[in-house]
Amino acid sequence: MNLALWLERTAATHGDSPALLLGERVVTDYAGFHARASAVAAALTDRGIAPGDRVAIFMKNDPDYLVALYAIWIAGAVAVPVNAKLHPRETAWILSDSGAALAFVSPGLGGGLGPETPVPLIDTGGADFAAMARATPRAPVPRAPEDLAWLFYTSGTTGRPKGVCITHGMLMSMSLAYPVDVDPVRPEDGALYAAPMSHGAGLYALIHVRMGCRHVVPASGGFDPAEVLALGRALGPLSMFMAPTMIRRLTDAARASGQSGEGLRTIVYGGGPMYLADIVEAVDLMGPRFVQIYGQGECPMAITALSRAEVADRAHPRWQDRLGSVGRAQSLVEVAVGDAHGRPLPVGETGEIMVRGAPVMPCYWQNPAATAKTLRDGWLMTGDVGRLDADGYLTLADRSKDVIISGGTNIYPREVEEALLTHPGVHAVSVVGRPSAEWGEDVVAFVVAAPGQAPDPAALDAHCLDRIARFKRPKDYVFVPDLPRNNYGKVLKTELRKRLEEDAT
Ligand code: AMP
């Protein structure tokens, strides 16, 4: 089944419900959204886009993002969403690797793509797109569950991004798990796109289309905490996906303006480590609005979840351990922790996290070597290190390549980061290994000081000594104004390591 049929059905039953909003302004209802997407789909077919062809979306968050996405699916083609903030060279790589036949681009973005861009561009603010939207609408091309729907390019904190093959079946199962494992979805809710629609926020559009919810794109097209708080007040109840760094900024903005996130019904967070100190502060200030998920492009949004009640719980004897975990397996997957050969380990032991189930990818796009490394004996090897407890809670340590080995012992940077973040002088921190002739690697902490503070390394050292084993303490502290992050807010540890190497030479 083509997942665009969910749009067709919602348009049939809720045609006059508001569908796409830009800020507080309703751009169109479900009948209009469906008609526009079906017309653009017909125009794609007229231009020779055949089922299975790839069509890129190089757009900022915009109501027409969803029009382009559904048009591609109605035409039976495969969407290739590309983060609009990528460097032209990275974009050119994704467009050529995916073999995209054309790309939808936001007004003004096409010029930034550079001469190496190999495909024709359709500016969604231009006359060409307007003419496509006036074509005679077409019905969705029949699709099977194993047919490709979305090529998801991994965010690539190292190396070149790989295309994860995401099928119609995966997207449907992931979407139907959301109301079961993450948060019920009601027609009166709105989905707010504060994070890039090329990633998790866009994946969450599908279940909200099925339920006839409003899709609200902030007028700024990006993440502005004050705007998010104002939209919550004006349009709530709203649900949204946020990376942990966005929650940090939202908490700061809410505190500064004396607000508590009114109207922001659910904030689903994931995509990177959420430090205990940060989520405790967010819940204390804004209440039970938060749900955590753990996923990766290879099993989008669907590995584990930590419920709203668990995130807000302060009564359970092990609430802190649970809040520091990513929760328990979602309904459609099995989660295990494996040794170096992918053999499941007993409860409590640390190893690589392995996943199998309906939302797991069948392969990487045209990359059998990477597929063979990542899919082993039916399991997805996530590259994340962690452990399960007896109740099924999964605690992530780090990406396996970020684990520091010092004096032959594994040190998980996350544990050191959690300890340092409880110091009032520390605003943000990232811990990496520095090559050491004596120990193999030394622990080094890059620290962003809290506003107006200049924490003393000796004080930070004493703080660590009170909380973690002596051998895990950083040997050095490097104070920086900011941490380098990719476009999804993930800290680029490779760059920090490179910086240490450069300093050494
Ligand atoms: P991506 O494929 O770009 O979505 O990145 C997925 C990676 O982000 C995972 O493999 C984890 O390393 C990390 N990640 C995702 N969710 C969480 C979470 N809730 N806590 C910590 N790390 C996470």
Side-chain angles (χ1 to χ4, degrees):
M1 172 180 156
N2 188 326
L3 54 84
L5 284 168
W6 285 358
L7 174 59
E8 188 177 288
R9 289 178 190 175
T10 301
T13 55
H14 296 73
D16 54 7
S17 298
L20 307 180
L21 286 83
L22 184 61
E24 294 181 40
R25 182 172 68 84
V26 177
V27 176
T28 188
D29 59 17
Y30 269 94
F33 174 16
H34 175 241
R36 192 168 167 84
S38 304
V40 175
L44 286 175
T45 306
D46 287 347
R47 288 174 190 217
I49 298 296
D53 283 354
R54 276 80 56 214
V55 176
I57 306 180
F58 185 66
M59 292 175 69
K60 298 182 187 149
N61 285 4
D62 184 300
D64 271 334
Y65 205 108
L66 293 177
V67 171
L69 193 59
Y70 277 85
I72 292 167
W73 289 335
I74 293 168
V78 181
V80 187
V82 184
N83 188 310
K85 288 192 192 145
L86 290 188
H87 188 277
R89 240 182 300 120
E90 296 169 295
T91 309
W93 155 256
I94 292 174
L95 293 180
S96 93
D97 184 64
S98 63
L102 54 84
F104 291 109
V105 293
S106 294
L109 275 190
L113 279 175
E116 57 278 75
T117 302
V119 305
L121 307 177
I122 298 172
D123 185 326
T124 55
D128 193 15
F129 188 71
M132 292 176 89
R134 287 194 298 272
T136 307
R138 62 154 302 153
V141 169
R143 296 278 77 192
E146 60 276 14
D147 283 330
L148 273 192
W150 182 312
L151 269 186
F152 178 104
Y153 276 81
T154 53
S155 51
T157 45
T158 50
R160 278 188 153 171
K162 298 186 283 285
V164 175
C165 291
I166 299 183
T167 64
H168 283 259
M170 286 165 68
L171 287 179
M172 281 187 202
S173 58
M174 173 217 101
S175 300
L176 293 178
Y178 181 92
V180 178
D181 294 315
V182 182
D183 193 35
V185 183
R186 310 157 311 170
E188 64 268 29
D189 294 333
L192 176 66
Y193 298 94
M197 294 170 84
S198 54
H199 206 258
L203 289 162
Y204 278 163
L206 280 56
I207 187 65
H208 291 91
V209 164
R210 178 66 196 103
M211 296 304 292
C213 303
R214 294 158 299 152
H215 301 265
V216 183
V217 176
S220 68
F223 174 59
D224 170 352
E227 185 182 29
V228 167
L229 290 166
L231 286 171
R233 285 199 310 277
L235 299 177
L238 297 179
S239 304
M240 71 217 66
F241 176 76
M242 280 193 185
T245 46
M246 296 166 74
I247 294 189
R248 180 67 259 164
R249 288 175 58 198
L250 187 73
T251 308
D252 292 341
R255 186 183 301 289
S257 56
Q259 299 183 69
S260 62
E262 184 199 335
L264 305 179
R265 190 172 82 90
T266 305
I267 300 175
V268 182
Y269 64 92
M274 169 55 96
Y275 299 104
L276 198 59
D278 286 344
I279 189 64
V280 167
E281 190 183 338
V283 175
D284 284 352
L285 185 70
M286 290 187 265
R289 304 183 191 280
F290 302 91
V291 181
Q292 182 178 197
I293 61 100
Y294 159 51
Q296 57 175 206
E298 291 80 349
C299 181
M301 319 303 270
I303 303 178
T304 65
L306 187 71
S307 70
R308 180 191 302 272
E310 288 164 315
V311 174
D313 184 10
R314 300 291 178 270
H316 191 279
R318 290 200 310 283
W319 71 266
Q320 280 184 314
D321 290 344
R322 292 188 169 182
L323 191 51
S325 79
V326 292
R328 290 183 282 189
Q330 291 193 28
S331 295
L332 293 168
V333 294
E334 289 169 81
V335 176
V337 168
D339 66 12
H341 307 286
R343 285 182 300 240
L345 287 166
V347 162
E349 289 196 24
T350 298
E352 181 165 0
I353 298 161
M354 307 158 48
V355 185
R356 66 180 173 198
V360 170
M361 69 164 185
C363 59
Y364 287 113
W365 175 252
Q366 295 184 340
N367 194 339
T371 302
K373 260 212 307 221
T374 307
L375 295 179
R376 278 198 260 144
D377 303 326
W379 288 97
L380 165 69
M381 307 302 294
T382 61
D384 291 317
V385 175
R387 63 176 189 282
L388 283 162
D389 74 10
D391 300 321
Y393 288 84
L394 178 70
T395 299
L396 292 195
D398 285 279
R399 298 288 298 165
S400 47
K401 61 180 186 334
D402 293 330
V403 174
I404 300 169
I405 305 181
S406 188
T409 308
N410 284 3
I411 297 172
Y412 298 102
R414 169 105 185 240
E415 202 188 336
V416 186
E417 291 161 0
E418 294 274 11
L420 283 167
L421 275 171
T422 60
H423 188 282
V426 176
H427 177 70
V429 63
S430 186
V431 167
V432 295
R434 177 180 58 201
S436 144
E438 193 180 358
W439 298 103
E441 280 182 294
D442 282 339
V443 179
V444 177
F446 283 82
V447 175
V448 180
Q453 307 243 17
D456 171 20
L460 295 178
D461 194 54
H463 190 78
C464 286
L465 267 177
D466 278 348
R467 287 166 177 79
I468 51 175
R470 176 169 284 272
F471 69 90
K472 297 177 184 170
R473 285 145 55 226
K475 283 251 170 20
D476 268 319
Y477 291 91
V478 183
F479 293 92
V480 287
D482 265 316
L483 295 171
R485 294 179 191 271
N486 74 7
N487 290 310
Y488 296 110
K490 290 186 210 285
V491 174
L492 292 165
K493 293 204 169 192
T494 9
E495 285 201 7
L496 296 176
R497 285 189 285 259
K498 217 187 309 159
R499 182 167 158 190
L500 292 176
E501 274 165 36
E502 282 164 9
D503 288 353
T505 54

